[in-house]
Amino acid sequence: MLIGISPLISPELLVVLYRMGHGDEIVLADAHFPGETYGKRVLRADGLKIPNLLDAVLPLFALDTYVESPLIMMGAVSGDQLDPAVEASYRQAIDKHWPGTPPIQRIDRFDFYDRTKQAFAVVMTGETAKYGNIILKKGVTPTAGK
């Protein structure tokens, strides 16, 4: 373990977060997401819920401020409904670390899969909430004294 780094961050995830550049995207995927099908680099975080992982990752990870929204979630398929509590729980962690972040953008399921193909990494979590996947776009990491 390291001082100041959440124990929810595995060594593999820490390496991935460090290696990502600005504009790179990471998918925090629910337990049912086809990560191995669409992701080029897949990490496991079984048992972890996405709000807890967001709370662990976001102190280490600047969100992109040069895009309309650095946060993307899957929109509901026709006939389904979104549970607003899912996004609200994500926003709680997001707003804690990066207040003022624009609203989460929703995109079509297949557009989300295509976006995942281009993502730097996919983290498979233990999240069971329907439509619980979220993409984070990394911004420029602030430097000390700037």
Side-chain angles (χ1 to χ4, degrees), residues 86-125:
V86 175
E87 185 172 326
S89 68
Y90 293 7
R91 281 308 310 202
Q92 187 174 10
I94 293 159
D95 294 339
K96 174 182 172 183
H97 299 288
W98 296 101
T101 298
I104 295 171
Q105 179 184 5
R106 294 281 181 166
I107 62 174
D108 171 80
R109 178 177 130 194
F110 294 104
D111 291 338
F112 194 96
Y113 293 156
D114 288 341
R115 193 95 175 232
T116 300
K117 290 176 189 176
Q118 303 304 313
F120 191 86
V122 175
V123 181
M124 297 300 300
T125 71

Side-chain angles (χ1 to χ4, degrees), residues 29-50:
D30 65 36
H32 307 290
F33 188 76
E36 296 288 343
T37 300
Y38 294 107
K40 58 185 171 190
R41 182 180 291 114
V42 179
L43 293 84
R44 303 298 306 190
D46 300 289
L48 298 182
K49 299 293 186 180
I50 290 177

Side-chain angles (χ1 to χ4, degrees), residues 8-145:
L8 299 183
I9 305 282
S10 69
E12 294 81 12
L13 180 52
L14 188 60
V15 166
V16 164
L17 294 173
Y18 189 84
R19 292 182 65 194
M20 289 175 69
H22 62 82
D24 282 340
E25 296 180 343
I26 188 166
V27 180
L28 303 184
D30 65 36
H32 307 290
F33 188 76
E36 296 288 343
T37 300
Y38 294 107
K40 58 185 171 190
R41 182 180 291 114
V42 179
L43 293 84
R44 303 298 306 190
D46 300 289
L48 298 182
K49 299 293 186 180
I50 290 177
N52 297 332
L53 195 53
L54 282 168
D55 196 40
V57 166
L58 289 174
L60 309 174
F61 188 99
L63 294 170
D64 196 334
T65 58
Y66 295 103
V67 294
E68 184 178 332
S69 180
L71 307 163
I72 300 101
M73 291 181 76
M74 191 181 292
V77 172
S78 180
D80 278 354
Q81 290 189 342
L82 298 174
D83 177 356
V86 175
E87 185 172 326
S89 68
Y90 293 7
R91 281 308 310 202
Q92 187 174 10
I94 293 159
D95 294 339
K96 174 182 172 183
H97 299 288
W98 296 101
T101 298
I104 295 171
Q105 179 184 5
R106 294 281 181 166
I107 62 174
D108 171 80
R109 178 177 130 194
F110 294 104
D111 291 338
F112 194 96
Y113 293 156
D114 288 341
R115 193 95 175 232
T116 300
K117 290 176 189 176
Q118 303 304 313
F120 191 86
V122 175
V123 181
M124 297 300 300
T125 71
E127 184 60 61
T128 56
K130 194 170 185 180
Y131 297 106
N133 311 298
I134 187 166
I135 297 172
L136 311 176
K137 183 180 272 296
K138 188 175 184 182
V140 176
T141 303
T143 57

